[in-house]
Amino acid sequence: MSRPRIVIVGAGFAGYRTARTLSRMSRGKADITLLNPTDYFLYLPLLPQVAAGLLEPRRTAVSLAGTLRHVRLVLGEADAIDMDARTVHYTGPEGGEGTLAYDRLVLAVGSVNKLLPIPGVAEHAHGFRGLPEALYLRDHMTRQIELASSEDDPETCSARCTFVVVGAGYTGTEVAAHGKMFTDSLTRRYPPRQGIRSRWLLLDIAPRVLPELDERLSATADRVLRRRGVEVRMGTSVKEATHEGVLLTDGEFVRSRTLVWCVGVRPDPLVESTGHPLERGRLVVDPFLQVPGRPEVFACGDAAAVPDLDNPGRYTPMTAQHAWRQGRTAAVNVAASLGVGEARPYRHRDLGFVVDLGGAQAAADPLGVPLSGPVAGVVTRAYHLAAMPGNRVRVAADWLLDAVLPRQFVQLGLVRSWSVPLDTASPELARVPVGPEWQARTTAGSGPGEPADAAPGGAHPAPGPVKRDDIPAEGDS
């Protein structure tokens, strides 16, 4: 009798945990295939530290082949699922196509940047969902301060030193907190001629930062940000983004070359192609993470609308904690469907949250106990080290080195603005420079100070087609 074929699509928190748990449970008695665009699992919570030069990029990238035994890795992006034929069609990194047959399928494709119908945002803003975007932001911040140091025009100098972050959730708050410290260090190294310091604005239509957290933790984060010099503007967002800056909903126009979009995420558009019921873009599943009418198909993580059994009528939120634990439940239930063990519904007890605010500052509520200051900073870093499935020693070593050595302020120029567009279904991949338009660009020349940096986020038109990027972005769901 042939071994059952299990295909897992996506290696984010949910997909990676599913693969790791199944590989340990199967002991080689099942063919487990993991389909993912990259050969690593990205530990997203530490991405702001990559953008701020605190961690090297590979520290947040955990090797799939090195940590998942008995799992076959296929590099590619799923673009079609035929549930009747039980196949997944995908496109590889070099354009080749392939098909994977399955007996059990786990959809864990995650999420992408959420877009809102605001003029100019798609063209001039950049998201923060993958390593390419973090690397781009790190280079971009460095370049803006370096250029400002030799700029004679006060308005241009001020615009280069002004950074706007939209979205005061976990990601936006951490990006603003780390980014302000990073650019302050840069301005000390490369002081602008006009004596201008870096300016950071954190915007959100919510009444307070981190609205999903306890008010005490929210107040702690707000206090740290304001003391550091971040302009926290609640009840305010972007009305329009232009080449010169951003127009705020309160009527103020802010001259800036940087617009970081952290307003939230939306499920990967792939789930829409399944033809099954959706809940705000997420694939509806039962408490056992199975797709109704398709007992061989499971879904978990941000792409799945999982019933919250502790709050009837509601669904679990799109957080890394839920995705990580749903991955384990999905693995157990896949094994149970093959006759190994018993299926169980997904339940989760909130263990608390941590928010790294840079330096020794953080806000945390482990097991419901609110903490702030250096104590919260220690708890936050300990939590991340415990949660990471690899690279712990390297991450801890980078933290130690940062405490005793100055950061290296260099721009590598590896990621250009046009390669990390906001409107993309693949934030984990940088756009590939192909086609005649890119040839024309290289003929004309493009260096680290490319003309795109005259616009917020340094937007460029895409140099060539990218798979699934032409899928229309949904509105505010």
Side-chain angles (χ1 to χ4, degrees), residues 11 32-40 63-65 68 70-76:
I32 305 173
T33 300
L34 179 60
L35 176 64
N36 197 58
T38 65
D39 64 353
Y40 59 83
S63 169
L64 297 178
L68 297 177
H70 310 302
V71 175
R72 173 194 173 209
L73 173 63
V74 174
L75 290 177

Side-chain angles (χ1 to χ4, degrees), residues 387-468:
M388 289 193 72
N391 296 351
R392 295 188 182 97
V393 174
R394 290 183 171 90
V395 169
D398 272 10
W399 285 340
L400 178 61
L401 289 174
D402 183 72
V404 298
L405 296 175
R407 297 186 192 179
Q408 296 175 295
F409 300 119
V410 295
Q411 47 171 316
L412 301 178
L414 298 177
V415 182
R416 292 290 191 265
S417 174
W418 48 259
S419 65
V420 284
L422 181 65
D423 187 7
T424 175
S426 306
E428 66 274 11
L429 294 175
R431 279 185 184 267
V432 179
V434 294
E437 186 177 344
W438 178 76
Q439 295 295 340
R441 186 186 308 283
T442 56
T443 301
S446 177
E450 52 191 333
D453 290 316
H460 265 313
V466 176
K467 185 173 71 62
R468 294 209 337 259

Side-chain angles (χ1 to χ4, degrees), residues 68-149:
L68 297 177
R69 298 182 60 187
H70 310 302
V71 175
R72 173 194 173 209
L73 173 63
V74 174
L75 290 177
E77 290 187 90
D79 45 35
I81 299 173
D82 188 335
M83 292 189 180
D84 293 326
R86 295 193 178 188
T87 58
V88 176
H89 183 272
Y90 68 92
T91 302
E94 296 184 348
E97 299 182 351
T99 301
L100 298 173
Y102 64 84
D103 296 305
R104 297 293 184 274
L105 173 66
V106 180
L107 287 175
V109 288
S111 55
V112 299
N113 294 310
K114 177 192 284 187
L115 293 178
L116 301 180
I118 299 175
V121 165
E123 293 80 13
H124 303 302
H126 286 287
F128 205 78
R129 292 291 300 165
L131 268 180
E133 293 168 322
L135 289 173
Y136 167 75
L137 182 59
R138 179 175 171 177
D139 269 6
H140 178 75
M141 290 189 295
T142 305
R143 181 164 59 252
Q144 294 309 305
I145 300 300
E146 289 176 348
L147 291 174
S149 69

Side-chain angles (χ1 to χ4, degrees), residues 193-314:
R193 292 185 178 182
Q194 309 298 329
I196 297 173
R197 296 187 60 187
S198 67
R199 178 190 182 193
W200 281 76
L201 287 79
L202 179 61
L203 316 175
D204 202 305
I205 59 174
R208 57 186 175 90
V209 299
L210 300 170
E212 59 271 37
L213 289 188
D214 179 86
E215 289 190 13
R216 287 173 294 181
L217 297 182
S218 176
T220 295
D222 185 278
R223 184 171 59 254
V224 171
L225 290 171
R226 293 179 187 274
R227 187 168 60 235
R228 194 166 292 165
V230 177
E231 297 179 33
V232 180
R233 299 196 184 184
M234 296 295 97
T236 305
S237 189
V238 173
K239 185 176 182 179
E240 182 181 2
T242 71
H243 288 279
E244 300 299 325
V246 292
L247 176 63
L248 306 185
T249 53
D250 62 7
E252 180 183 355
F253 184 81
V254 178
R255 288 177 56 85
S256 174
R257 303 295 174 88
T258 309
L259 179 57
V260 187
W261 194 252
C262 303
V263 298
V265 296
R266 58 190 172 102
D268 191 297
L270 177 67
V271 299
E272 297 176 7
S273 66
T274 63
H276 283 263
L278 304 177
E279 170 63 31
R280 298 172 70 86
R282 303 161 72 186
L283 189 62
V284 175
V285 297
D286 63 22
F288 295 89
L289 308 184
Q290 289 178 297
V291 176
R294 296 285 182 177
E296 75 282 0
V297 179
F298 298 77
C300 52
D302 288 354
V306 180
D308 188 341
L309 298 182
D310 294 325
N311 296 283
R314 301 177 64 181

Side-chain angles (χ1 to χ4, degrees), residues 2-21:
S2 61
R3 297 189 299 179
R5 299 164 300 179
I6 304 172
V7 173
I8 304 167
V9 182
F13 280 92
Y16 180 87
R17 185 76 183 278
T18 301
R20 191 173 74 166
T21 305

